[in-house]
Amino acid sequence: MSNPYRSFEFVSEAALPTRFGLFTIHGFIDKSNNQEHVALSYGKWEESDVVPIRIHSECLTGDALFSTKCDCGFQLEKALQNIVENGSGVLLYLRQEGRGIGLLNKIKAYSLQDQGYDTVEANEHLGFDADLRDYSICKTMLDTLKVKHVEIMTNNPKKLNALREMGIDVVRRTPIDHGVTDANRNYLKTKTEKLGHTFNKDKLG
């Protein structure tokens, strides 16, 4: 859900060469809590163009430490590959670890999952909602990058609804069913059955 009372600000940008291609990294800050977020842009577009985007919430374990307990790292890589193959696009990287509960609480949730809780039950057992993420800053990010019409790479319909509430024209959704492992199969089933994600169930077995 968007929060109209929070103040977001663009800070700076720089070239960012990656193993996928040459991106530009754009830094933003949520002035209500000093949380920092980034966008990666690739290529050029007109304001009338439909731009492929991915909204990706930070996952240290999956994105940087190569965990197969979730599909986050797989989705991040696939999104960057898709953007480069398309010739243009944007990845919004939001600092919302563990669906908004933070890194250390996520580790606590992982410990509960080791004991048999699913990902939703673990968050709720710790006293959190299943998903605390806020997508408000996406409006500032996309406006700064002059993106008005998007094709969003996601399995999460909440992201579509959040963008539309903020006045972003979501032209279409592209699924990003990528990275099924034995370690994350139950996790993905839970996201599909309890959180409304549209993951292809045939891939989950």
Side-chain angles (χ1 to χ4, degrees):
M1 299 293 289
S2 62
N3 185 340
Y5 302 106
R6 291 166 72 174
S7 176
F8 308 108
E9 184 177 288
F10 167 70
V11 178
S12 187
E13 66 182 42
L16 186 72
T18 76
R19 59 189 176 88
F20 302 101
L22 178 59
F23 286 78
T24 300
I25 187 168
H26 313 261
F28 297 82
I29 189 166
D30 180 344
K31 296 180 73 174
S32 70
N33 57 17
N34 289 322
Q35 187 68 65
E36 299 167 345
H37 308 270
V38 298
L40 298 183
S41 67
Y42 183 87
K44 298 180 179 180
W45 51 83
E46 303 295 331
E47 286 195 31
S48 59
D49 291 342
V50 178
V51 180
I53 73 165
R54 163 78 181 160
I55 301 173
H56 191 90
S57 294
E58 180 182 37
C59 176
L60 177 72
T61 49
D63 298 341
L65 301 179
F66 315 110
S67 168
T68 61
K69 193 177 183 72
C70 63
D71 58 337
C72 302
F74 299 105
Q75 289 185 326
L76 177 61
E77 290 199 7
K78 184 62 175 175
L80 293 173
Q81 290 170 357
N82 288 349
I83 287 169
V84 171
E85 289 172 3
N86 179 74
S88 64
V90 174
L91 183 132
L92 307 181
Y93 195 88
L94 309 185
R95 307 293 298 281
Q96 303 190 115
E97 186 79 46
R99 290 197 218 102
I101 68 174
L103 177 60
L104 297 185
N105 281 320
K106 185 174 85 167
I107 294 172
K108 292 179 182 179
Y110 276 1
S111 178
L112 290 171
Q113 290 172 40
D114 290 342
Q115 299 171 46
Y117 290 75
D118 67 33
T119 181
V120 170
E121 292 167 346
N123 278 27
E124 292 176 342
H125 185 80
L126 292 171
F128 301 107
D129 289 340
D131 193 341
L132 293 173
R133 288 176 294 182
D134 186 293
Y135 301 108
S136 304
I137 196 171
C138 295
K139 172 66 171 171
T140 298
M141 292 171 131
L142 293 173
D143 284 351
T144 300
L145 298 175
K146 301 188 184 320
V147 174
K148 303 296 183 184
H149 315 279
V150 304
E151 171 186 352
I152 183 169
M153 291 177 273
T154 187
N155 303 324
N156 186 355
K158 290 183 179 179
K159 292 180 181 178
L160 279 73
N161 296 335
L163 290 178
R164 286 170 173 156
E165 287 179 6
M166 291 183 283
I168 303 298
D169 179 28
V170 181
V171 176
R172 56 185 171 269
R173 179 188 73 86
T174 301
I176 189 162
D177 298 350
H178 191 69
V180 180
T181 71
D182 289 339
N184 69 25
R185 197 176 304 276
N186 287 334
Y187 162 82
L188 295 173
K189 287 181 178 179
T190 299
K191 287 207 300 184
T192 302
E193 295 168 0
K194 292 190 174 183
L195 296 175
H197 289 221
T198 56
F199 206 95
N200 186 339
K201 293 183 179 180
D202 291 339
K203 294 187 176 183
L204 301 179

